[in-house]
Amino acid sequence: MNARTEPEEAEPATPVRPPLVRELLLVAGLFLVYKFGRQLATGHTAEAFRNAHDVWNAERWLRLPDEDTVQSLLLHGDGLVHIANTYYATVHFPATAAFLIWLYLRRPAHYVWARRVLAAVTAAALVAHLAFPLAPPRMLASTGLIDTARVYGPSVYGPPQTDTLSNQFAAMPSLHFGWAVMVAVGLIVATRSRLRWLWLLHPLLTLLVIVGTANHYWLDALMAAALLGTALLVIRAPRRTATTAGRGAPALVPTEEQVLEEKVTEQPVTQEKVAEEPVLVGTGR
């Protein structure tokens, strides 16, 4: 008898998708913790404005572009600034949610990676908001910038004194920009289309919007990019294979022993082999 070895256990054709209920609870819990943490940073008005003046002066010392230049471009027409305000108010959360949902359904391995990166960046941002409260540039009269959302609408913030739903002194780092960059990076890594690099337009538009509407400083975006870059270095993306890129399962390659075994079993039976076989002769009367 030919000895046959048991085949090695093959890897699953597609990555295992995490349980939906667990993922919903994790994402909802992360959101609630973040919202609760933002509330802890309220009541630091004086410190937030001191930090705002320091950040503004640091940008001038670093010779970064003036935020007023971007805002002046938006103020050329009421329609353009209204679009920018709408983009700021409505794209941030839905775009990130749609990104995670698509990865969950189509690229489970990349979904787990992206969720971990976003969770790490958000947690680090929460710590930064607590340690360094920062008033946005729209609140500093010395900057000459206006609150475009309040003047032209729509606005997602109320007066800081009465706004209990958000912490308006959490400008650095900008999660609007950090999440937008992660959406672009995640889609570029998880897909193969030649047009996938166009996803970089999302963080670029987000950067122009958050600066032009005077909701963030340039340094807010740079800090968010630094946190995201660190998270991407620590939390590595899955290798892009035919399976993880949505091209189906890779073909199974037979081992050398299996190939030799098949050759042996397929050889024709010769006369010598027939002679070696015992011949049963029946005896008759």
Side-chain angles (χ1 to χ4, degrees), residues 131-260:
F132 191 77
L134 180 64
R138 57 185 166 82
M139 292 185 180
L140 288 184
S142 59
T143 64
L145 300 172
I146 66 172
D147 187 348
T148 60
R150 182 179 58 83
V151 176
Y152 297 94
S155 177
V156 294
Y157 301 120
Q161 298 80 6
T162 59
D163 187 0
T164 59
L165 297 178
S166 60
N167 173 25
Q168 298 189 43
F169 299 136
M172 181 181 291
S174 169
L175 284 180
H176 268 75
F177 183 70
W179 287 11
V181 175
M182 184 57 206
V183 168
V185 170
L187 290 173
I188 290 172
V189 171
T191 58
R192 290 179 177 269
S193 172
R194 294 180 179 179
L195 300 177
R196 67 187 186 276
W197 296 99
L198 292 177
W199 287 111
L200 292 174
L201 291 175
H202 176 46
L204 177 60
L205 287 175
T206 300
L207 178 60
L208 295 178
V209 165
I210 63 176
V211 172
T213 58
N215 282 292
H216 286 283
Y217 307 89
W218 293 112
L219 286 177
D220 298 342
L222 291 177
M223 180 61 70
L227 289 178
L228 178 62
T230 303
L232 290 174
L233 288 176
V234 175
I235 307 172
R236 297 298 183 91
R239 290 193 308 167
R240 189 169 66 177
T241 63
T243 300
T244 59
R247 295 296 184 88
L252 296 179
V253 180
T255 63
E256 183 178 355
E257 291 78 4
Q258 290 174 332
V259 173
L260 294 175

Side-chain angles (χ1 to χ4, degrees), residues 1-284:
M1 294 179 60
N2 292 325
R4 291 181 177 270
T5 59
E6 293 294 331
E8 295 181 359
E9 185 177 354
E11 295 181 357
T14 57
V16 178
R17 184 174 291 110
L20 178 60
V21 175
R22 188 192 71 180
E23 292 305 308
L24 290 176
L25 292 176
L26 285 175
V27 174
L30 176 64
F31 176 76
L32 291 176
V33 169
Y34 175 66
K35 294 293 290 184
F36 177 72
R38 286 170 68 100
Q39 297 303 314
L40 294 179
T42 58
H44 297 81
T45 303
E47 183 181 0
F49 276 94
R50 285 196 302 270
N51 292 335
H53 286 288
D54 291 340
V55 168
W56 182 261
N57 293 331
E59 287 190 343
R60 308 290 77 78
W61 182 77
L62 293 171
R63 299 185 181 277
L64 294 177
D66 195 342
E67 286 85 348
D68 183 69
T69 303
V70 182
Q71 186 170 92
S72 298
L73 295 175
L74 296 181
L75 295 178
H76 276 304
D78 293 354
L80 186 59
V81 69
H82 184 80
I83 291 174
N85 292 333
T86 304
Y87 191 95
Y88 180 86
T90 62
V91 174
H92 177 49
F93 281 106
T96 308
F99 163 68
L100 290 174
I101 292 172
W102 186 85
L103 286 183
Y104 180 84
L105 296 176
R106 302 295 299 274
R107 306 287 191 273
H110 288 88
Y111 163 79
V112 175
W113 162 68
R115 187 248 293 155
R116 290 173 178 171
V117 172
L118 285 173
V121 171
T122 304
L126 173 59
V127 174
H129 294 162
L130 295 174
F132 191 77
L134 180 64
R138 57 185 166 82
M139 292 185 180
L140 288 184
S142 59
T143 64
L145 300 172
I146 66 172
D147 187 348
T148 60
R150 182 179 58 83
V151 176
Y152 297 94
S155 177
V156 294
Y157 301 120
Q161 298 80 6
T162 59
D163 187 0
T164 59
L165 297 178
S166 60
N167 173 25
Q168 298 189 43
F169 299 136
M172 181 181 291
S174 169
L175 284 180
H176 268 75
F177 183 70
W179 287 11
V181 175
M182 184 57 206
V183 168
V185 170
L187 290 173
I188 290 172
V189 171
T191 58
R192 290 179 177 269
S193 172
R194 294 180 179 179
L195 300 177
R196 67 187 186 276
W197 296 99
L198 292 177
W199 287 111
L200 292 174
L201 291 175
H202 176 46
L204 177 60
L205 287 175
T206 300
L207 178 60
L208 295 178
V209 165
I210 63 176
V211 172
T213 58
N215 282 292
H216 286 283
Y217 307 89
W218 293 112
L219 286 177
D220 298 342
L222 291 177
M223 180 61 70
L227 289 178
L228 178 62
T230 303
L232 290 174
L233 288 176
V234 175
I235 307 172
R236 297 298 183 91
R239 290 193 308 167
R240 189 169 66 177
T241 63
T243 300
T244 59
R247 295 296 184 88
L252 296 179
V253 180
T255 63
E256 183 178 355
E257 291 78 4
Q258 290 174 332
V259 173
L260 294 175
E261 186 178 352
E262 292 295 331
K263 289 182 178 180
V264 172
T265 56
E266 291 178 359
Q267 288 180 354
V269 179
T270 61
Q271 292 182 355
E272 295 179 357
K273 289 184 178 181
V274 172
E276 293 176 357
E277 297 290 336
V279 179
L280 299 179
V281 180
T283 58

